[in-house]
Amino acid sequence: MPAPHLLLVEDEPRMAAFLLAGLEEEGYRVRWVDRGLPALEAVGREPFDAVLLDVRLPDLDGVEVCRRLRLHHPALPILMLTALDAVEDRVRGLRSGADDYLPKPFAFEELLARVEALLRRARTAPALSELTDEPLRLDLTARTCTVGGRPLDLTPREFDLLAYFLARPGQVLSRDEIHRDVWGHDFDRGTNLIDVYVGYVRRKLQEAGCPDRLQTVRGLGYRYVPVSASLHDDTA
């Protein structure tokens, strides 16, 4: 069995060198990057078994990196590392999709134990590779969408938006939440871009013969109503 492959995202050279040397001595293969955007690019190019992610990065905030990673790689274990240890900081990191949170300074032995625990859970947990609500299917690995077995052409952003809704059936999602989790911080809140993209997705689903399950919740945002729920709800 090959050694687990880790991505270390840490902008402080001394800390990175310490972790890199220690992890490699323990038998891990480690790729190190010092910023958020190269981290996203690295995960897009090669498979990793887990990510060790610092919060304070010079380009993208680590929480934002975590949100983007989680959106495209829902099963990838993420351990956040940070000097910030306030409760709200831990909550913010975990809500962004991190699996665990380790404040600095920490003992290297504790880091190892947490990485081992993440990898153990990942090996025993079923990987989420598909989202379905018949006749709609999204393959998260291949990033393809089909309706009744027929391909549906979606742009990358449309795919991200539909996957975001499909993974949260029945939840009312505010425009701020959608902005934060799908678009990240590179988004102008003064525009109606979210409404426009919801319209694009609705139209494509309808043209493909898939019932429109994206509901507008007046004054709040949107929610995806799955087939199983709509069968028991005459108002859907």
Side-chain angles (χ1 to χ4, degrees):
M1 178 182 296
H5 191 24
L6 307 180
L7 176 64
L8 173 62
V9 189
E10 168 63 64
D11 70 316
E12 208 288 308
R14 287 187 180 180
M15 174 62 74
F18 167 71
L19 294 177
L20 192 61
L23 290 166
E24 289 181 340
E25 186 174 338
E26 291 293 325
Y28 291 100
R29 294 180 297 132
V30 186
R31 168 83 178 275
W32 170 48
V33 296
D34 62 358
R35 290 173 295 133
L37 287 175
L40 296 173
E41 293 168 0
V43 173
R45 288 195 306 266
E46 57 186 297
F48 291 96
D49 295 294
V51 177
L52 280 60
L53 176 62
D54 188 32
V55 170
R56 287 185 170 176
L57 298 170
D59 53 353
L60 283 181
D61 177 82
V63 172
E64 177 63 23
V65 174
C66 185
R67 288 193 184 114
R68 296 191 190 187
L69 287 175
R70 185 58 69 223
L71 184 63
H72 298 292
H73 306 275
L76 178 64
I78 300 174
L79 172 62
M80 298 198 79
L81 310 174
T82 179
L84 304 174
D85 192 26
V87 171
E88 57 267 26
D89 294 316
R90 294 198 299 272
V91 170
R92 183 169 168 254
L94 293 170
R95 282 182 172 170
S96 72
D99 297 282
D100 200 358
Y101 193 102
L102 186 59
K104 299 175 182 177
F106 51 79
F108 184 70
E109 291 75 12
E110 182 178 4
L111 174 74
L112 281 179
R114 294 194 184 219
V115 170
E116 289 166 3
L118 285 180
L119 294 175
R120 187 165 56 248
R121 289 201 296 268
R123 285 193 294 267
T124 57
L128 178 62
S129 61
E130 186 176 75
L131 293 169
T132 63
D133 185 36
E134 295 294 354
L136 180 62
R137 287 178 177 267
L138 270 67
D139 185 323
L140 299 177
T141 302
R143 291 182 60 78
T144 57
C145 177
T146 58
V147 175
R150 298 185 302 276
L152 179 63
D153 184 27
L154 297 174
T155 67
R157 188 69 75 186
E158 290 167 353
F159 183 93
D160 291 344
L161 182 62
L162 184 55
Y164 183 72
F165 279 116
L166 202 56
R168 296 160 178 79
Q171 295 183 33
V172 176
L173 301 166
S174 70
R175 288 172 177 80
D176 278 349
E177 288 176 303
I178 299 169
H179 145 240
R180 179 194 67 200
D181 295 335
V182 179
W183 269 264
H185 294 302
D186 301 327
F187 178 79
D188 182 358
R189 289 172 182 258
T191 72
N192 65 340
L193 194 60
I194 291 173
D195 305 291
V196 170
Y197 269 84
V198 167
Y200 291 159
V201 172
R202 277 176 167 162
R203 185 173 67 251
K204 288 187 176 183
L205 290 174
Q206 290 170 344
E207 290 174 351
C210 185
D212 177 17
R213 310 248 172 239
L214 287 174
Q215 286 189 346
T216 301
V217 182
R218 191 178 299 277
L220 296 175
Y222 296 97
R223 70 178 165 192
Y224 183 87
V225 180
V227 171
S228 58
S230 63
L231 290 176
H232 300 88
D233 184 357
D234 293 335
T235 65

